[in-house]
Amino acid sequence: MSTPTPSATSTTVTPGGIPARLADDTTQGKTTIAASVVQKIAGIAAREISGVHSMGGGVSRAFGAIRERIPGGGTGASNIAGVQVEVGEKQAAVDLDLVVEYGASITELARAVRRNVITAVERMTGLEVIEVNIAVNDIHLPSEDDGTDDVVTAQPSRVE
């Protein structure tokens, strides 16, 4: 006598490029949530943690800064730089690229970010978050506050 496991049908995770996934299916209708919504929730939840300076790798941060300077360009994709998601019917996986403040304990920061992202995504979407992978790509030094603009101005000349 075998009992089917509830996760047997929910283990497949598909690429986040698919527009929407099932979050709630009732006799009165179905609710779907776009992968971009999960991306935004995860990005906002990660930034809420003290010690996270910014999101994304150097190139995505540079393009994000350029987009913010273009009228109407500061919305949409720039809000989710450094966040990739895969969303299935009942589960989601999140990958984050972070820049942390110098002096922060990276392991404690990663734990706090992971916990906050899981809590926010699960509470708001009803999807089970099966993993949150965190890549720390850089450390922000307090003396670099003005230096980030220099990096941004250097980037456009490389891509023009």
Side-chain angles (χ1 to χ4, degrees):
M1 179 173 163
S2 83
T3 309
T5 60
S7 63
T9 60
S10 62
T11 55
T12 303
V13 178
T14 59
I18 296 173
R21 286 290 168 228
L22 175 66
D24 188 25
D25 193 5
T26 68
T27 58
Q28 295 176 327
K30 183 189 335 182
T31 303
T32 57
I33 299 170
S36 62
V37 171
V38 176
Q39 250 182 327
K40 285 183 182 185
I41 293 168
I44 292 168
R47 285 187 208 98
E48 288 176 347
I49 303 300
S50 177
V52 174
H53 176 71
S54 62
M55 307 275 300
V59 175
S60 69
R61 286 196 322 267
F63 283 123
I66 292 168
R67 264 190 305 250
E68 287 176 7
R69 291 186 174 151
I70 299 170
T75 60
S78 67
N79 293 336
I80 52 176
V83 182
Q84 297 82 37
V85 299
E86 291 183 20
V87 181
E89 288 185 13
K90 296 183 181 185
Q91 296 178 326
V94 180
D95 296 324
L96 302 171
D97 295 323
L98 303 179
V99 176
V100 302
E101 296 286 346
Y102 177 78
S105 168
I106 294 174
T107 54
E108 290 177 20
L109 179 71
R111 251 185 247 120
V113 167
R114 188 172 285 115
R115 185 175 35 242
N116 204 43
V117 168
I118 290 170
T119 301
V121 171
E122 288 183 349
R123 180 179 53 82
M124 294 179 72
T125 66
L127 295 167
E128 174 192 12
V129 178
I130 57 170
E131 66 181 8
V132 176
N133 298 310
I134 298 173
V136 177
N137 294 321
D138 202 358
I139 301 244
H140 177 262
L141 301 172
S143 61
E144 293 177 341
D145 285 335
D146 294 330
T148 56
D149 288 340
D150 296 337
V151 172
V152 171
T153 56
Q155 289 294 338
S157 64
R158 294 166 75 192
V159 295
E160 288 179 8

